[in-house]
Amino acid sequence: MIKETVTRQATGVKPAILFIGSQMATGGAQRVLLDQAAWFYEHGYHVTAAFLYDQEGVHQVWQEIYPFPLVNLNICPPGGRTNPLRTFSGLPRIYRFLRNHRFDIIETFSHYANLLVLPLAWMASVPVRVGSHHGREANFPNLLNRLHSFIISSSITTCMVAVSQQVSSYAALEENIREDKIIVIPNGIQAADNRLLAPSQPVALRAELGLQPGAHLVCSVGYLTEQKGHRFLLEAIPLVIQKYPGTIFAIAGDGPLLKELKGQAEALNLAGAVIFLGNHSNVADLLSLADIFVLPSLWEGLPIALLEAMGAGVAVVASQVDGVEELIVDNQTGLLVPPSDSQALSQAILRLLEEPEFRVNLGQQGKWLVEKEFNQDQMCNLYRNLFENLLEGRQ
């Protein structure tokens, strides 16, 4: 396969790249994968995107959106849970897929994809095998964590990309991954769509959310799991609406804690103040109305939801964790609060509601930072340079 790669380069044909993640679902890692695949496709590369299974039954919808092949390797039924027997029975199918398509480069996008696919790519003689690390993997068994570290640190993996300096340090110090195998490439997003909404759209959105004239909108976007810390946001709301009645808190996203969080909101008497939107079809429109974005996470890599909010010029309040600190300079590009601290969340939100000029300036500074240092072109050019250098080293 290396000979074929050299032949392609000699004839000016760009490499074939496979981007592969664990599950088809709404999430930051999936967004990075698809955006990166689209960028390389637009720049003339032979691109395929694949996932181990379709968690939310979105394969057909996604394939209609993207012009490159999108493959469901189907090691688990839609909406189901993986099990060891089905996972292992799917490995030969993944190997044949890799062997038959003769990719030059593979990039994996989660601990599970690193663990399962990189050894198969090595066995299938894919020349360049790049893992990635987007932050701590929740409930990842210790045995699998040790195996993952071995796979990344060995010759099975060419290198691993960490999405922030904090993630890189965590991988080296806590997961014992060889430092010389780790390369930091921060996440990046496309420039925010600065088009004006049609006159009817803000009115319709405000009506949908129940926003009264002059009322404030605070939003949060993320998968509803323990990691994302939404319960601390809910605990922070009573103090805010006591001072600013009519403020709406919109939480976009789905996940296993949805029922529990709705129960918590009811117990806190937050009816009318909190709206659970599920997987919202257009987060950009939601951000266009938002006064404040809150990320109450307990840990993060370099969160796409936060990048998108800052890129849209929305003032942000976020937990002082991991890669978040590489995005937010406290009181300059956002407000940082200790994780799991509902009181601090309340006070930060109240400060931004009480100081509109400061809030607007905070949003503008955050937008400038994202456009300058965390844009998609910058991220993908770094990946392109990495891929090309690694391919040249394999000749």
Side-chain angles (χ1 to χ4, degrees), residues 288-304:
S288 73
L289 290 182
D291 298 288
I292 300 168
F293 178 90
V294 180
L295 186 92
S297 299
L298 306 184
W299 70 89
E300 284 287 355
L302 194 69
I304 295 297

Side-chain angles (χ1 to χ4, degrees), residues 95-367:
Y95 172 78
R96 289 192 298 271
F97 170 73
L98 296 172
R99 190 71 183 174
N100 292 340
H101 284 77
R102 298 190 171 277
F103 298 106
D104 302 301
I105 302 163
I106 181 172
E107 182 186 356
T108 49
F109 280 79
S110 72
H111 275 46
Y112 284 103
N114 294 345
L115 191 65
L116 291 174
V117 181
L118 289 174
L120 294 174
W122 174 68
M123 293 170 60
S125 300
V126 177
V128 173
R129 304 170 299 277
V130 178
S132 66
H133 199 315
H134 296 259
R136 281 179 275 174
E137 190 80 38
N139 303 316
F140 200 60
N142 188 49
L143 178 61
L144 292 186
N145 192 51
R146 291 202 299 270
L147 181 57
H148 177 265
S149 298
F150 168 77
I151 288 170
I152 298 298
S153 297
S154 73
S155 60
I156 290 171
T157 304
T158 311
C159 70
M160 184 189 76
V161 171
V163 299
S164 71
Q165 291 290 347
Q166 292 280 355
V167 168
S168 174
S169 297
Y170 178 84
L173 298 175
E174 302 297 330
E175 296 181 342
N176 297 314
I177 292 174
R178 281 172 46 189
E179 289 187 54
D180 63 319
K181 282 293 191 108
I182 304 172
I183 295 171
V184 176
I185 299 181
N187 285 335
I189 61 169
Q190 289 180 325
D193 186 353
N194 292 318
R195 64 177 171 80
L196 292 175
L197 293 176
S200 60
Q201 286 180 279
V203 175
L205 278 171
R206 292 185 72 90
E208 177 188 345
L209 297 170
L211 274 174
Q212 299 299 316
H216 298 288
L217 174 64
V218 180
C219 71
S220 183
V221 178
Y223 194 47
L224 304 183
T225 60
E226 187 69 24
Q227 174 200 349
K228 298 301 181 179
H230 291 103
R231 65 190 179 97
F232 300 105
L233 174 58
L234 293 178
E235 291 172 0
I237 292 174
L239 189 61
V240 176
I241 60 176
Q242 180 181 343
K243 193 162 186 179
Y244 288 90
T247 300
I248 296 293
F249 288 78
I251 299 176
D254 203 347
L257 293 187
L258 176 59
K259 184 177 180 180
E260 180 180 325
L261 292 170
K262 284 184 173 181
Q264 182 186 359
E266 184 177 349
L268 290 169
N269 297 314
L270 298 178
V274 177
I275 302 173
F276 292 92
L277 298 173
N279 288 328
H280 200 266
S281 60
N282 198 332
V283 172
D285 285 354
L286 182 66
L287 292 173
S288 73
L289 290 182
D291 298 288
I292 300 168
F293 178 90
V294 180
L295 186 92
S297 299
L298 306 184
W299 70 89
E300 284 287 355
L302 194 69
I304 295 297
L306 184 60
L307 282 170
E308 289 180 333
M310 294 174 70
V314 182
V316 299
V317 177
S319 300
Q320 190 170 1
V321 295
D322 305 319
V324 171
E325 295 183 83
E326 295 173 34
L327 271 175
I328 296 181
V329 178
D330 196 28
N331 287 297
Q332 295 183 33
T333 55
L335 294 182
L336 291 172
V337 297
S340 311
D341 192 334
S342 303
Q343 183 72 18
L345 268 179
S346 296
Q347 295 303 323
I349 294 168
L350 284 170
R351 181 184 176 190
L352 292 181
L353 293 177
E354 291 165 355
E355 302 179 34
E357 290 186 9
F358 175 63
R359 183 175 74 236
V360 170
N361 182 64
L362 214 61
Q364 290 174 342
Q365 291 299 314
K367 182 176 183 179

Side-chain angles (χ1 to χ4, degrees), residues 30-110:
Q30 290 87 345
R31 174 69 181 275
V32 173
L33 186 158
L34 293 169
D35 283 353
Q36 196 174 322
W39 189 93
F40 275 89
Y41 178 84
E42 291 168 2
H43 286 75
Y45 289 80
H46 300 271
V47 168
T48 302
F51 293 85
L52 299 181
Y53 65 102
D54 184 359
Q55 173 70 18
E56 296 179 355
V58 294
H59 181 203
Q60 184 176 346
V61 174
W62 285 7
Q63 185 61 88
E64 291 173 358
I65 295 171
Y66 295 97
F68 46 82
L70 196 63
V71 179
N72 174 20
L73 292 167
N74 196 30
I75 68 167
C76 182
R81 299 180 66 87
T82 56
N83 65 75
L85 182 60
R86 178 149 186 167
T87 297
F88 285 115
S89 67
L91 296 184
R93 182 167 63 253
I94 298 171
Y95 172 78
R96 289 192 298 271
F97 170 73
L98 296 172
R99 190 71 183 174
N100 292 340
H101 284 77
R102 298 190 171 277
F103 298 106
D104 302 301
I105 302 163
I106 181 172
E107 182 186 356
T108 49
F109 280 79
S110 72

